[in-house]
Amino acid sequence: MISTQRVIYCINPDCDNPINSVGDLVCASCQTPLVYRYLWATGSLTAKTPLGTKLVDRYEAIAQQIYLDTQPRLPPAIPAELPPVVIPYLRLQSERLHLPQPYGFVSNGEEGTNDILLLENVPIDEQGNLYPCLTAAWQQAKAVRQVYWLWQILQLWTPLSKFGQAQSLLIPDNLRVQGWCVRLLELHTTTSSPPRLLDLADAWQPLVEAANQAIVSELRHIVQLMTNSEVELDTIKTQLNSLLLSTAAELPLNLKVVGATDIGIQQQQNEDTCYPNTNDNPDDSLLPHLSIVCDGIGGHQGGEVASQLAIQSLKLQIRALLAEVAEQTELVPPKLLQEQLEACIRVVNNLISSRNDELKRQGRERMATTLVMALQVPQRALKQSGGQSNNAHELYLASVGDSRAYWITRNYCQQLTIDNDVATREVRLARAMYRQALQKPEAHALTQALGIRDAEGLRLVIQRFILDEDGILLLCSDGLSDNNLVEKYWQDYALPVLTGQLAVEDAVREWINLANEKNGHDNTSVVLTFCRIAKDSLVPIPPPPPPPVAIPPSEPPETEVSALAEIEAESDLAEIAQTTLTESSQALLNLDLAEDEPSPAPAQKPTRQRQPFLLLGGLFALLVAGTGIGLFAWWQLHPQTLQQMCRKLPSSVQQLCPPQE
């Protein structure tokens, strides 16, 4: 039927009068913010649907293949057995930054035709307009963004090829751009022979010829390599990455990082920990490159310990990693840095897991923590124009659990991480579509956290981004992200920072106040990294200093005698002791982690490179040295616990452990 009045329904199930006019921002009856969910309809039959038509009295066609769900509170129609067309979308959910996700099905009313598949998370703005296609935005983009778009397409080539969807990257109108991010309208299954890199090179040829003159010759060389079947994909990626970092190095970069954590209005203790925090040394060499948020799990004497232990261990290892990167004379490839960061996180997991084993914690008693961590790696890079820059604008992001990261500019807010919960797992395993999985009672229960079990069970994804625009990186625990507060209020709290009307420190406090007011049920941690590219705001960022001189750990504070007295007497976590902890929680912190010594890391898988890199050898030697000292001290204090943990480490690292008596 043709809609005579454009209406949208309130999402509040208790609303007395949920019908509102399209264009309203809040419900006139209950003041709940209205949700405008724009969907992309796949299939050729959608072109026959007249504008203004409402399918099943719900989905209004506002443009060709674009529908507005006028009743977003209702679950979409999903068949009991998922059709094959949705399986690639579900299995590729880890690429949700770039790919849409299936929302539901709807009939177009014609007999003998297939139902229309509706997609969400599509490149459509808040007014229902498509973001521009890559070819239309290409000539206005600066050189670094042009290379960055091509880099993202090349990164998508392998996973899409695995599921027979690489054809999606060869259709110009299917490639849309939201600022820095390449986003696909839909997936196109390959019906004939699988596309080759030669086909991708042909698709890139018009873009290369219209590219910024500073990068045309290098891009031509890369495209030529893609046409040679004997050249491996890794070689092409290496060439494109070098060009990407050299063009990014032309830009100035100024970073300011501020963080804070708050107990909330309904909690008795704060299990969150963040870095940096208000008590941290502002001259710490890790600033402004590192930011972390951890949300502890395990209650009193557990969660707060796990979250603090995770941050202190990560700081030690990241300090050593940045110092080693600063020594390099060649660019360290992304794959190698991702492997090193993954190794750091696995070490943290095993430290917490070992502590649980030592204290005989089982099941729900085991302490653990979520993690979201951002590391800006200031690699030296040769500029396209000549000379060297001290920063190639690389940002690495890791998350475990449901603490999140968002990238916010003046024009959009993007969630960068994916929650590790039951609903997400059901989608990844192609058992359910996301809206369907949300109906499960345990949909938001976590499936991953650091310390629950051995690191072999962790599924880690380390993402790499390039900072090429002004923006805010927001890390937060679920005390803020619950109920979509960030998506609802980002303009109110981020735009004043981006326009210079609000200090970053004040913005952090206002985000926390918002969480306490609108959620209030949990602790809240917020870390903001304000990234500025504008030349008039340039503040040079020096390279990381060499590793600090070893300082003996301080004596542990005296605490009350308890069943854990022997453990607390052996605690040497000096920096953690500087923060406020309950005495019983302090007793659990008994690992030898001094700020000047890196924690042991598992040996890395060999990475094939055409040129030798010193990073693996140097970092491994540094970790071995610190590991030897730490293992010896721990062996003297906890011989049985050390042997238990050693058995969980990779065989290449077990040789560092002392022999069993």
Side-chain angles (χ1 to χ4, degrees), residues 439-480:
Q439 304 304 311
K440 294 179 176 291
E442 71 282 10
H444 296 294
L446 293 183
T447 57
Q448 287 204 130
L450 296 180
I452 295 294
R453 59 182 67 89
D454 292 343
E456 288 80 1
L458 284 177
R459 294 184 70 259
L460 296 176
V461 176
I462 313 295
Q463 303 177 79
R464 200 275 286 259
F465 304 94
I466 297 297
L467 299 174
D468 73 338
E469 63 182 348
D470 289 3
I472 296 173
L473 179 68
L474 165 63
L475 307 186
C476 65
S477 58
D478 61 349
L480 174 61

Side-chain angles (χ1 to χ4, degrees), residues 334-409:
K335 183 178 180 180
L336 184 53
L337 284 170
Q338 289 167 325
E339 289 175 349
Q340 294 296 337
L341 291 174
E342 182 176 334
C344 292
I345 295 172
R346 292 188 184 278
V347 166
V348 171
N349 180 89
N350 284 347
L351 289 175
I352 301 173
S353 179
S354 177
R355 182 66 57 80
N356 282 320
D357 294 342
E358 178 182 342
L359 298 176
K360 296 180 172 32
R361 291 175 177 254
Q362 300 295 328
R364 294 183 180 273
E365 295 180 351
R366 290 178 75 84
M367 60 181 175
T369 184
T370 70
L371 166 74
V372 59
M373 176 179 71
L375 177 64
Q376 199 280 305
V377 181
Q379 286 208 73
R380 297 187 181 93
L382 294 177
K383 299 179 180 181
Q384 283 292 107
S385 59
Q388 188 179 67
S389 168
N390 284 332
N391 203 315
H393 295 227
E394 286 182 290
L395 179 77
Y396 289 83
L397 189 65
S399 66
V400 178
D402 59 359
S403 295
R404 292 182 179 178
Y406 296 85
W407 177 248
I408 304 173
T409 71

Side-chain angles (χ1 to χ4, degrees), residues 636-656:
Q636 298 297 317
L637 297 172
H638 301 281
Q640 294 181 348
T641 302
L642 179 59
Q643 292 297 340
Q644 292 175 0
M645 182 172 178
C646 280
R647 287 193 291 270
K648 301 174 185 177
L649 295 172
S651 57
S652 56
V653 180
Q654 289 185 18
Q655 61 185 345
L656 300 175

Side-chain angles (χ1 to χ4, degrees), residues 194-268:
R196 302 167 296 168
L197 277 177
L198 171 62
D199 300 312
L200 185 60
D202 290 340
W204 282 10
Q205 194 63 50
L207 298 174
V208 170
E209 297 307 318
N212 189 293
Q213 287 301 310
I215 58 174
V216 167
S217 60
E218 288 86 350
L219 286 180
R220 285 173 178 165
H221 174 67
I222 291 170
V223 167
Q224 183 63 34
L225 291 177
M226 295 168 67
T227 63
N228 187 343
S229 60
E230 297 181 358
V231 178
E232 296 182 355
L233 179 60
D234 284 346
T235 300
I236 298 168
K237 287 183 177 180
T238 299
Q239 295 279 338
L240 191 59
N241 180 65
S242 178
L243 178 59
L244 175 59
L245 296 187
S246 65
T247 52
E250 296 284 347
L251 302 173
L253 180 61
N254 176 36
L255 300 172
K256 182 173 184 179
V257 185
V258 178
T261 184
D262 188 86
I263 192 173
I265 59 178
Q266 298 180 15
Q267 298 298 316
Q268 300 301 315

Side-chain angles (χ1 to χ4, degrees), residues 18-66:
I19 301 177
N20 294 268
S21 298
V22 168
D24 293 346
L25 298 180
V26 298
C27 176
S29 177
C30 66
Q31 300 303 302
T32 300
L34 297 175
V35 172
Y36 288 83
R37 187 171 293 145
Y38 296 101
L39 307 168
W40 179 255
T42 66
S44 58
L45 292 176
T46 59
K48 300 179 181 180
T49 305
L51 300 187
T53 300
K54 266 192 183 179
L55 298 179
V56 296
D57 198 30
R58 175 175 179 178
Y59 301 104
E60 180 182 355
I62 65 168
Q64 185 172 340
Q65 293 187 257
I66 299 178

Side-chain angles (χ1 to χ4, degrees), residues 65-371:
Q65 293 187 257
I66 299 178
Y67 287 78
L68 172 64
D69 185 355
T70 62
Q71 300 191 54
R73 184 176 68 84
L74 301 179
I78 300 173
E81 183 176 350
L82 296 180
V85 66
V86 306
I87 302 303
Y89 289 99
L90 304 180
R91 299 303 299 271
L92 287 163
Q93 190 221 28
S94 60
E95 304 293 345
R96 97 180 266 283
L97 258 177
H98 307 284
L99 305 182
Q101 286 291 297
Y103 181 74
F105 290 86
V106 61
S107 173
N108 68 350
E110 296 185 14
E111 294 185 6
T113 61
N114 295 325
D115 289 345
I116 297 171
L117 171 61
L118 299 174
L119 301 174
E120 62 178 326
N121 188 44
V122 285
I124 299 176
D125 65 20
E126 296 178 353
Q127 286 72 45
N129 302 309
L130 282 172
Y131 283 109
C133 63
L134 184 146
T135 52
W138 182 261
Q139 288 191 320
Q140 289 72 40
K142 53 193 175 186
V144 61
R145 180 153 290 182
Q146 291 176 342
V147 183
Y148 194 16
W149 285 338
L150 297 182
W151 167 262
Q152 293 172 60
I153 294 172
L154 197 60
Q155 291 298 105
L156 288 170
W157 182 258
T158 297
L160 264 62
S161 296
K162 178 181 178 181
F163 292 99
Q165 308 296 317
Q167 184 69 28
S168 310
L169 300 172
L170 304 179
I171 303 172
D173 195 56
N174 196 47
L175 299 175
R176 301 281 163 163
V177 289
Q178 182 186 13
W180 66 273
C181 186
V182 173
R183 302 182 62 185
L184 274 62
L185 274 175
E186 58 183 284
L187 292 178
H188 292 266
T189 302
T190 302
T191 56
S192 55
S193 58
R196 302 167 296 168
L197 277 177
L198 171 62
D199 300 312
L200 185 60
D202 290 340
W204 282 10
Q205 194 63 50
L207 298 174
V208 170
E209 297 307 318
N212 189 293
Q213 287 301 310
I215 58 174
V216 167
S217 60
E218 288 86 350
L219 286 180
R220 285 173 178 165
H221 174 67
I222 291 170
V223 167
Q224 183 63 34
L225 291 177
M226 295 168 67
T227 63
N228 187 343
S229 60
E230 297 181 358
V231 178
E232 296 182 355
L233 179 60
D234 284 346
T235 300
I236 298 168
K237 287 183 177 180
T238 299
Q239 295 279 338
L240 191 59
N241 180 65
S242 178
L243 178 59
L244 175 59
L245 296 187
S246 65
T247 52
E250 296 284 347
L251 302 173
L253 180 61
N254 176 36
L255 300 172
K256 182 173 184 179
V257 185
V258 178
T261 184
D262 188 86
I263 192 173
I265 59 178
Q266 298 180 15
Q267 298 298 316
Q268 300 301 315
Q269 71 266 350
N270 193 351
E271 297 180 71
D272 281 10
T273 308
C274 68
Y275 177 82
N277 203 343
T278 51
N279 296 326
D280 286 312
N281 180 7
D283 296 325
D284 190 340
S285 62
L286 289 175
L287 297 175
H289 304 292
L290 180 64
S291 55
I292 311 174
V293 166
C294 288
D295 183 354
I297 303 167
H300 184 55
Q301 302 184 22
E304 59 181 329
V305 175
S307 62
Q308 293 191 35
L309 179 58
I311 284 186
Q312 297 308 323
S313 177
L314 284 168
K315 287 171 63 179
L316 294 174
Q317 297 179 83
I318 298 303
R319 195 183 303 278
L321 177 61
L322 288 183
E324 189 65 27
V325 169
E327 296 283 334
Q328 303 309 306
T329 57
E330 300 179 14
L331 289 173
V332 183
K335 183 178 180 180
L336 184 53
L337 284 170
Q338 289 167 325
E339 289 175 349
Q340 294 296 337
L341 291 174
E342 182 176 334
C344 292
I345 295 172
R346 292 188 184 278
V347 166
V348 171
N349 180 89
N350 284 347
L351 289 175
I352 301 173
S353 179
S354 177
R355 182 66 57 80
N356 282 320
D357 294 342
E358 178 182 342
L359 298 176
K360 296 180 172 32
R361 291 175 177 254
Q362 300 295 328
R364 294 183 180 273
E365 295 180 351
R366 290 178 75 84
M367 60 181 175
T369 184
T370 70
L371 166 74

